[in-house]
């Protein structure tokens, strides 16, 4: 089973870990987070990131999920890709993380499908609900 580390600016990743426990249970193996602290240097973040990676890596690799492409957590995570056992996704959202946690139970690590899940998790509800209301009007 691949390990998972959620990365964010501030406490977003910690909140995501706590929220996913509502759905997946309190004990989620090989799953943790790392939150960039205000004023923390990229080099100090690198040290903590390496520790988190080793903490969750059972030898099958690690998936890093970052909050924002181009930010320090993503930039530092991207430097680990060369290891060969690290996958990095960015644009973290609850839909993406829950899908990954569920898929991981069956060793399904289709990164393209996870990327699509994350994107599809963003929906403009007004448009969807308006379309549904228009559909109902056609039956009259």
């Amino acid at each position: 089973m691949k390990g998972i580390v959620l990365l964010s600016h501030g406490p977003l990743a910690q909140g995501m870990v706590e929220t996913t426990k509502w759905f997946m249970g309190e004990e989620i193996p090989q799953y943790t987070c790392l939150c960039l602290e205000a004023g923390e240097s990229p080099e100090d973040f690198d040290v903590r990131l390496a520790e988190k990676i080793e903490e969750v890596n059972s030898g099958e690799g690690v998936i890093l999920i970052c909050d924002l492409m181009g930010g320090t957590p993503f930039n530092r995570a991207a430097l680990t890709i060369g290891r060969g056992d690290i996958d990095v996704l960015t644009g973290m959202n609850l839909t993406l993380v829950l899908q990954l946690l569920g898929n991981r139970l069956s060793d399904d690590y289709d990164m393209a499908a996870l990327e699509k899940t994350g994107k599809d998790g963003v929906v403009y509800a007004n448009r969807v609900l308006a379309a549904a209301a228009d559909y109902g009007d056609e039956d009259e």
Side-chain angles (χ1 to χ4, degrees), residues 71-84:
T72 298
F74 170 80
N75 292 341
R76 306 320 283 186
L79 296 174
T80 69
I81 292 173
R83 289 180 35 160

Side-chain angles (χ1 to χ4, degrees), residues 7-8 33-53 72-73 75-77 79-80:
L7 307 172
S8 69
C33 65
L34 179 59
C35 303
L36 178 67
E37 298 174 5
E40 182 175 15
S41 73
E43 295 77 19
D44 288 343
F45 188 80
D46 287 345
V47 170
R48 294 192 313 125
L49 178 57
E51 290 169 356
K52 291 292 185 176
I53 289 170
T72 298
N75 292 341
R76 306 320 283 186
L79 296 174
T80 69

